[in-house]
Amino acid sequence: GIHDSLVAWWRFEPGSVFRQDERSLRYHLSGLYPQLMAGKIGQTALNVFYGTSASWSLAEEQRCSTLIESNVFSASAWVKLSANAWNPAYATGQYATVVSDLAQNSANYRGFFLGCSRADTNLTFILSSPIGPVALTAGFQDQVGSWAHLAATYDGSQAVLYLNGTEVDRDTVQFVPANVGDGLGVGKKVNGQPVDGWVGGIDEVRIYTAALSSNVIAEMVAATDEAQVPDTDGDGIPNW
């Protein structure tokens, strides 16, 4: 069945609802729901094609308020990064955001970021700490234009970054989580101008309040539809 620590799951499927859903992610400038595209899992995925022209509204961000209230968590998603992510006509900022609650409070940053750096096209997992942000990175250039699975975990000491089910970086971090009430953004920078937007597809975004094992993450990558996901406890619900 559903993993006990799964606290948010954006499937981007018509009619899907799980605690937080895609209807809480609505464009600020257009007032329209996000556009959808053919998904990696299921029928549809979020399609972010102009990272500069729209942002999630502050009110909607509050509905997606910080879900990670402790220093143990995991975040995962399927993504397809467009080559337009480096075109300033489509997006601005240093990063392309998949999911993040990294927000500035006075002079300090708190929270995490998962996405890509526009400077070097590296997959990037950033965690705030008392000594400043700590970044885990891995090459991502050969993934542009294709669906790739990202996962990031933190167990209270070790931060680990995975690409397509394989560990690509790890570090010891004293993580400082975001404040309760800070926004959590999917496809954009949290609370601010519409910068650091993703350009391309995002599917199956999940937030867990546990550090998932490498075996669980490998199962996510191996399963490209619900029929392929194991059901360990036999309750008829896949191991999400």
Side-chain angles (χ1 to χ4, degrees), residues 107-193:
N108 301 314
Y109 282 88
R110 302 173 63 98
F112 82 96
F113 166 92
L114 180 61
C116 287
S117 166
R118 286 200 172 89
D120 50 21
T121 325
N122 276 349
L123 174 62
T124 305
F125 177 31
I126 299 173
L127 300 96
S128 59
S129 80
I131 61 172
V134 177
L136 282 65
T137 63
F140 198 72
Q141 293 88 341
D142 59 351
Q143 304 294 323
V144 175
S146 301
W147 283 105
H149 188 268
L150 315 183
T153 68
Y154 181 70
D155 66 2
S157 175
Q158 287 286 306
V160 185
L161 178 62
Y162 297 85
L163 174 59
N164 292 325
T166 299
E167 180 182 322
V168 289
D169 200 5
R170 72 164 53 224
D171 202 351
T172 301
V173 184
Q174 184 181 348
F175 175 56
V176 180
N179 293 319
V180 175
D182 286 346
L184 184 143
V186 174
K188 72 167 284 285
K189 177 184 176 182
V190 178
N191 58 29
Q193 296 300 312

Side-chain angles (χ1 to χ4, degrees), residues 36-48:
L36 298 177
M37 62 185 288
K40 173 64 178 178
I41 307 292
Q43 299 178 13
T44 53
L46 178 67
N47 183 14
V48 185

Side-chain angles (χ1 to χ4, degrees), residues 87-118:
N87 184 334
Y90 288 84
T92 60
Q94 295 178 286
Y95 296 97
T97 305
V98 175
V99 58
S100 174
D101 66 359
L102 187 65
Q104 187 171 12
N105 298 275
S106 300
N108 301 314
Y109 282 88
R110 302 173 63 98
F112 82 96
F113 166 92
L114 180 61
C116 287
S117 166
R118 286 200 172 89

